[in-house]
Amino acid sequence: MLSLLLVDSEIELVPQKIASHTAVRLNARRRKKEASRMLLDATLHHTAMRNLPQAKRRGRPDIIHFFLITALESVLNHKGMLRTYIHTRNDELITVDPSTRLPKNYPRFVGLMESLFIDEAVPLKGQPLLRLSKGYSFERCLEEIPHRRVAAFSQEGKKVGLRGYFRGSEEDILCLIGGFSKGDFNSDVRSRSDDIISIYDEPLTVWTVASEIIVNYENAIDG
Ligand SMILES: C[S@@+](CC[C@H](N)C(=O)[O-])C[C@H]1O[C@@H](n2cnc3c(N)ncnc32)[C@H](O)[C@@H]1O
């Protein structure tokens, strides 16, 4: 089994501190929503975000959208051999049922995630496909997710051929990818990882790294 955990992901509701900023209020009025019940989005709220800590990397739910579509629609997931998790910058853990079919349409994805952040489960009736649990530091996520080995992915890691790395690994492996577009992990990922792996000399997008991991793992276990 392969588990993917997107760490320090830049997805959150609009922080109270900027909820009354003009850019946020205009967007909220257009969407007929309360500002603090909307996802923070760097494209729409960048003027309001200027005074937030780490403003340049925050508000990127689009990264989580691309990542989840890549993971959930993969052959490995269809075979039942992939588990997908999101850890957020505010220490929430989002658990994703492998049978989840996410909307491809971005505004619909945003609406779904807003419901998840407010209700902590989607759908509310029956078995939730998406569940949000609060108070999950990166370290607590590691305790929750079954694994025998942890591989963190970073451009600064050791250059490794992924197929060879995964070959012969029947053990449950947990792969960590940063859920942000700029900077480094906020969490102490390095000290909790067995290996720190680079797959290319240049920075790659989160979903490219995810697809390389998934396809190489699948090829490796298929022999
Ligand atoms: C877009 S990168 C983060 C920003 C990156 N430090 C940069 O300067 O572009 C997001 C995540 O993708 C993974 N990643 C990106 N490029 C990689 C590479 N060449 N090798 C391994 N992982 C990589 C890492 O997990 C990283 O945290």
Side-chain angles (χ1 to χ4, degrees):
M1 183 72 75
L2 171 69
S3 298
L4 286 181
L5 174 63
L6 205 60
V7 182
D8 299 325
S9 305
E10 291 297 353
I11 184 165
E12 61 186 311
L13 292 177
V14 167
Q16 207 55 51
K17 191 179 165 189
I18 62 163
S20 56
H21 188 282
T22 314
V24 177
R25 276 196 292 118
L26 283 175
N27 180 225
R29 195 184 306 157
R30 211 174 305 121
R31 290 192 60 207
K32 300 186 175 61
K33 280 216 162 193
E34 243 176 76
S36 56
R37 294 167 78 92
M38 298 192 309
L39 285 189
L40 184 70
D41 192 318
T43 308
L44 303 167
H45 308 138
H46 60 278
T47 50
M49 288 169 61
R50 272 185 209 134
N51 293 327
L52 290 178
Q54 295 196 316
K56 290 211 165 95
R57 58 185 271 173
R58 288 171 74 169
R60 293 298 308 275
D62 56 310
I63 293 177
I64 288 79
H65 189 214
F66 273 65
F67 166 75
L68 284 176
I69 296 277
T70 303
L72 292 170
E73 307 221 335
S74 65
V75 172
L76 193 70
N77 191 53
H78 285 293
K79 286 182 177 172
M81 298 189 69
L82 178 66
R83 294 289 176 269
T84 309
Y85 305 87
I86 312 281
H87 163 258
T88 73
R89 73 150 36 244
N90 292 325
D91 284 340
E92 291 121 342
L93 174 63
I94 299 173
T95 312
V96 185
D97 187 286
S99 69
T100 308
R101 295 287 166 261
L102 281 184
K104 311 294 175 291
N105 175 282
Y106 183 62
R108 283 190 56 210
F109 168 76
V110 168
L112 186 82
M113 296 311 277
E114 286 167 345
S115 303
L116 178 65
F117 273 82
I118 290 157
D119 299 328
E120 297 177 20
V122 171
L124 269 178
K125 282 189 187 149
Q127 186 67 24
L129 292 172
L130 301 171
R131 199 191 300 265
L132 181 142
S133 311
K134 294 183 176 168
Y136 272 79
S137 63
F138 162 68
E139 288 77 10
R140 192 167 171 210
C141 292
L142 287 191
E143 286 165 21
E144 182 77 10
I145 301 170
H147 66 274
R148 297 189 63 183
R149 196 163 183 81
V150 180
F153 285 74
S154 163
Q155 196 195 331
E156 277 78 48
K158 186 173 166 221
K159 192 84 174 290
V160 158
L162 266 190
R163 190 168 173 190
Y165 178 76
F166 287 134
R167 195 171 288 146
S169 86
E170 292 83 27
E171 58 195 7
D172 290 343
I173 186 152
L174 170 59
C175 290
L176 311 174
I177 308 173
F180 42 87
S181 67
K182 291 188 180 77
D184 203 350
F185 293 100
N186 288 333
S187 300
D188 185 8
V189 162
R190 282 172 181 78
S191 73
R192 304 298 294 265
S193 302
D194 297 298
D195 301 297
I196 300 169
I197 293 175
S198 167
I199 56 171
Y200 194 58
D201 292 333
E202 288 171 34
L204 300 167
T205 59
V206 169
W207 50 97
T208 303
V209 177
S211 64
E212 290 286 336
I213 294 171
I214 292 167
V215 170
N216 279 287
Y217 183 85
E218 196 202 334
N219 288 341
I221 56 168
D222 275 355

